[in-house]
Amino acid sequence: RTSLVIDPPNGRIPALRSQAELYASMRSGRANDGPEGRAPGERCLLSFGFASGPPMLSVMYNSYYQIVQSPGYVMILVEMVHDARIIRLNGEPAPDAIPRWMGDSVGRWEGDTLVVETQNFTEHEGFRGGTPDAKIIERFRRVAPDKIEYRFTVEDPRAFTQAWSGEIPFYKTDD
């Protein structure tokens, strides 16, 4: 296949709604009088290019992940900027009044697949023009001893004309 986008079948990210385009232009048009006007990646608050996710997309370099599971949590450490994403297992979402960098991630196991739903993003994020109201669902499934099938779905009706999904293989590099 020629795209990481698996749905819609044409391999293209759906169009942004005009409201989302306006939101994205307002975010990008912030006055850069101080550091708050700069993007989180420029300020080294988060990795750039959504390497830390969600969704987790590789960038030009430093695209390695370390996944650690402990009782009640999964932690994904991202090499770029050393972002640590904490996923609560079988928990409830945090109150909306507490937005979090990389959103609020809650996971559960469905058979051999870790399903993670993330919501409650800060206004400083916005995947590909998305809004803080986005919901991103990720699925991690080991399909071979050295390979994880990573799938994600972006649901943001304020931003995109339809939900869309992508898939990327993650390969183990060494022990």
Side-chain angles (χ1 to χ4, degrees):
R1 102 182 159 232
T2 60
S3 172
L4 65 86
V5 177
I6 58 173
D7 186 46
N10 67 6
R12 295 182 182 199
I13 296 171
L16 284 171
R17 296 186 184 278
S18 59
Q19 181 180 359
E21 291 167 351
L22 175 62
Y23 180 78
S25 69
M26 287 171 41
R27 263 199 340 251
S28 65
R30 283 189 195 131
N32 291 329
D33 297 346
E36 292 79 16
R38 309 303 289 180
E42 287 182 65
R43 296 165 52 199
C44 295
L45 297 174
L46 290 173
S47 63
F48 57 88
F50 285 88
S52 55
M56 299 170 13
L57 302 176
S58 61
V59 292
M60 298 174 284
Y61 57 93
N62 292 353
S63 294
Y64 291 99
Y65 300 101
Q66 181 180 19
I67 301 172
V68 178
Q69 182 177 350
S70 66
Y73 298 91
V74 171
M75 184 274 306
I76 302 174
L77 179 65
V78 185
E79 184 180 17
M80 177 66 76
V81 188
H82 298 93
D83 293 331
R85 185 170 160 215
I86 309 298
I87 300 165
R88 292 185 317 288
L89 296 178
N90 303 317
E92 294 294 319
D96 288 345
I98 307 172
R100 300 168 185 234
W101 290 114
M102 298 177 276
D104 179 34
S105 297
V106 178
R108 67 184 181 280
W109 286 97
E110 291 182 0
D112 63 352
T113 303
L114 174 63
V115 179
V116 179
E117 293 187 20
T118 305
Q119 302 178 84
N120 203 13
F121 294 91
T122 69
E123 67 176 16
H124 303 287
E125 300 166 276
F127 180 66
R128 299 195 62 94
T131 69
D133 299 331
K135 177 179 180 181
I136 298 177
I137 302 162
E138 299 164 288
R139 295 179 179 277
F140 300 80
R141 185 170 69 97
R142 179 166 267 174
V143 294
D146 63 345
K147 182 179 176 183
I148 293 175
E149 176 186 82
Y150 173 68
R151 289 185 175 199
F152 63 89
T153 299
V154 177
E155 296 177 1
D156 193 347
R158 280 186 46 206
F160 297 100
T161 56
Q162 70 182 77
W164 58 281
S165 301
E167 179 182 286
I168 304 168
F170 288 166
Y171 292 96
K172 184 177 179 182
T173 56
D174 59 22
D175 290 306

